[in-house]
Amino acid sequence: MADHPNIGVFHRALEAFSAGDMEALAEVFHPDVVWHLGGHGPLAGDYRGRDAAFALFQREFELTGGTYRPQLHDVLANDEHTVALLHVRASREGKELDMNETIIFHIREGRITEAWGLWSDQKAYDAFWS
C-alpha cells in the first residue's frame, strides 16, 4: 500500500523546517494557515497566516540559539488529518527541552492549512519558554 500523499507534504515541511529553508516551507504552508500552540507560556496562542507562523518558528530558533531540533517518530495520514509524532530537543538559558510532541494537521491540496501542537508535559514545556 502506498503512503498517503499528505505524508509526503509533512516530510517536505519537516525537511524545510529543519534546514531553515523558509522558501521551501512556504510551498507547503497555505498563506492563511492557522498554527495553534496551547499552554500558558510566552509562545502560546493562535498564529494566523504564514508570516505569523513563520515568525513563531523563527522565535523558537532564536530563543534556543538554533538548538531546537524535532526528530520524527512516525507520521500517519488520511484525507482529513495528518498526525506527526515527534521528539523535540532544545537548550535555552540553562534549561533543556527533551519531550514528545504530537502535531495534528489539516492539509488541503498539498498545503498545510491548520495545525495543533500538543506536548507530553505542557507544564514543563511552558516552563522551558518562560
Side-chain angles (χ1 to χ4, degrees), residues 2-3 10 18 21 29 32 54 56 59 72 83-86 88 91 102 112-113 115 117-118 122 127-129:
D3 284 342
F10 172 76
S18 296
D21 184 346
F29 267 65
D32 297 324
F54 286 11
L56 166 66
R59 185 138 168 83
L72 181 63
V83 179
L85 307 173
L86 303 156
V88 179
S91 300
T102 301
I112 296 167
T113 60
L118 308 167
Q122 186 67 56
F128 175 78
W129 296 107

Side-chain angles (χ1 to χ4, degrees), residues 11-72:
H11 280 291
R12 287 192 301 280
L14 182 62
E15 288 170 14
F17 176 88
S18 296
D21 184 346
M22 303 318 271
E23 281 186 39
L25 196 59
E27 292 177 16
V28 293
F29 267 65
H30 192 279
D32 297 324
V33 66
V34 180
W35 194 275
H36 307 278
L37 190 57
H40 301 287
L43 299 183
D46 294 332
Y47 296 83
R48 298 185 181 283
R50 187 169 48 209
D51 290 343
F54 286 11
L56 166 66
F57 303 154
Q58 181 65 34
R59 185 138 168 83
E60 289 172 334
F61 279 110
E62 287 173 1
L63 291 173
T64 64
T67 64
Y68 191 93
R69 294 284 182 256
Q71 296 174 322
L72 181 63

Side-chain angles (χ1 to χ4, degrees), residues 80-120:
E80 294 299 315
H81 297 98
T82 301
V83 179
L85 307 173
L86 303 156
H87 188 84
V88 179
R89 292 182 183 188
S91 300
R92 179 176 181 269
E93 298 177 355
K95 300 181 230 178
E96 297 295 320
L97 179 67
D98 187 2
M99 72 175 61
N100 294 322
E101 177 187 22
T102 301
I103 307 176
I104 303 165
F105 296 95
H106 284 170
I107 297 175
R108 305 286 182 261
E109 298 177 6
R111 291 185 136 181
I112 296 167
T113 60
E114 196 161 11
W116 295 262
L118 308 167
W119 293 89
S120 58

